[in-house]
Amino acid sequence: CPPVAEVPSAEQIQLRRQTARDRGFLWRIDKDGRSSYLYGTIHLGRVEWIVPGPLVTQALGATDTLALELDLGEPQTLRDVQAAMAGPAGAAPLPAALQTRLRRQFDAACLPAAAFAAAHPVMQAVTLAALAGRWDGLDPAYAQEGVLAGYARASQRRVVALETPQAQIAALVPADPHRAQAVVDQALDQLETGRLRRQLNVLADVWERGDLDELERYETWCDCVHDDDDRAFMRRLNDERNPGLADRIDALHRDGRRVFAAVGALHLAGPQALPSLMRARGYRVERILFRP
């Protein structure tokens, strides 16, 4: 079984503070005499990343609102996520062969398949994919979203969600049952061959280095875009969500907030990237580069 994430001790956290360095992608956006920030995450983390670096900490300290795609520290959000994971009503069941492969991956991950049976097959595959990095020390339990939310709540900052669970899962689960089966099949193939673990490690390295050029080339090395259907899926998952994210961040800023918006790093790359969309909304946008 993969290692289980453990809550770091106070001594471990203090040690991390002494050696913390900045990772990821950070932009400052200025408008109406106030600064807000965009920060790119990967929804996974290593235990050594549990303390943000000095520039990220400074940016978060200069804001009063943390904006996340979803606030998973909110109990109602967790209930909504659980309900939404069932996917659209009337979803077609998986063929027996795919069901068998899915169960094998739950066994390999040391997870009880029955606990996820109510979720749509695509969401079951997404869950397995999100947990595939645990063997390599990459765990959602150490994701920056949780680290930032803990800091925000401890310092009495407001935490808000930019999206709803229903909207996120609608983007993840194709309405066409044949396309949904193809997504499950592709995810299982990547899990079975070990390619997904390699991709997660590459993504973690790109994120840790803050290598935006390599992130922009994501589709050339992710082994997840093979045809037009895959490209359409990626557009729906990233580009098509970006205007809504930009509108929500803009609304919070216009309401007088100083916002630290932490979203998946792929929302900050490509032709429809959030920095470009915020610039189009009248913001002065500047990337904050980290020291190696």
Side-chain angles (χ1 to χ4, degrees), residues 14-250:
Q14 183 58 37
L15 179 62
R16 300 293 181 195
R17 285 200 181 103
Q18 295 171 14
T19 58
R21 66 180 182 86
D22 291 297
R23 300 174 174 91
F25 307 90
L26 182 66
W27 280 260
R28 182 173 58 244
I29 58 174
D30 298 302
K31 188 177 181 181
D32 299 331
R34 293 187 308 282
S35 294
S36 288
Y37 295 86
L38 306 174
Y39 183 59
T41 74
I42 55 171
H43 308 318
L44 299 168
R46 301 190 189 278
V47 67
E48 57 264 34
W49 299 349
I50 57 173
V51 176
L55 291 177
V56 173
T57 299
Q58 180 181 345
L60 187 59
T63 60
D64 54 48
T65 300
L66 173 65
L68 305 172
E69 292 178 32
L70 296 177
D71 178 13
L72 296 179
E74 171 59 45
Q76 184 58 50
T77 299
L78 290 176
R79 290 191 288 270
D80 290 344
V81 167
Q82 186 175 19
M85 282 186 70
L94 286 180
L98 276 181
Q99 291 181 20
T100 299
R101 292 170 63 197
L102 199 57
R103 283 195 300 271
R104 285 175 179 163
Q105 287 305 308
F106 276 110
D107 290 342
C110 299
L111 295 170
F116 300 88
H120 189 282
V122 169
M123 294 310 303
Q124 294 184 45
V126 167
T127 299
L128 288 166
L131 297 172
R134 292 178 300 162
W135 279 271
D136 305 303
L138 286 166
D139 198 304
Y142 299 134
Q144 288 296 296
E145 289 85 352
V147 171
L148 296 169
Y151 175 96
R153 288 194 163 91
S155 57
Q156 303 299 308
R157 282 168 168 75
R158 182 185 183 193
V159 182
V160 301
L162 297 171
E163 296 183 304
T164 65
Q166 295 83 356
Q168 279 206 353
I169 291 174
L172 282 164
V173 179
D176 179 359
H178 297 291
R179 180 59 193 157
Q181 289 182 17
V183 170
V184 174
D185 178 67
Q186 184 181 76
L188 289 173
D189 183 60
Q190 291 179 335
L191 285 162
E192 291 160 349
T193 60
R195 295 201 308 274
L196 182 58
R197 282 178 60 183
R198 292 193 292 273
Q199 293 155 20
L200 289 175
N201 278 280
V202 172
L203 179 60
D205 180 62
V206 168
W207 181 82
E208 189 167 21
R209 290 185 285 111
D211 190 340
L212 186 60
D213 290 339
E214 193 64 18
L215 186 68
E216 294 274 3
R217 292 191 288 269
Y218 176 75
E219 292 188 7
T220 68
W221 52 262
C222 72
D223 195 26
C224 60
V225 180
H226 303 108
D227 54 31
D228 289 341
D229 285 339
D230 289 342
R231 291 184 189 89
F233 180 72
M234 290 298 295
R235 282 196 301 272
R236 185 171 74 249
L237 200 57
N238 290 291
D239 291 358
E240 293 178 11
R241 289 166 57 199
N242 286 353
L245 292 170
D247 286 344
R248 180 69 171 131
I249 294 166
D250 181 43

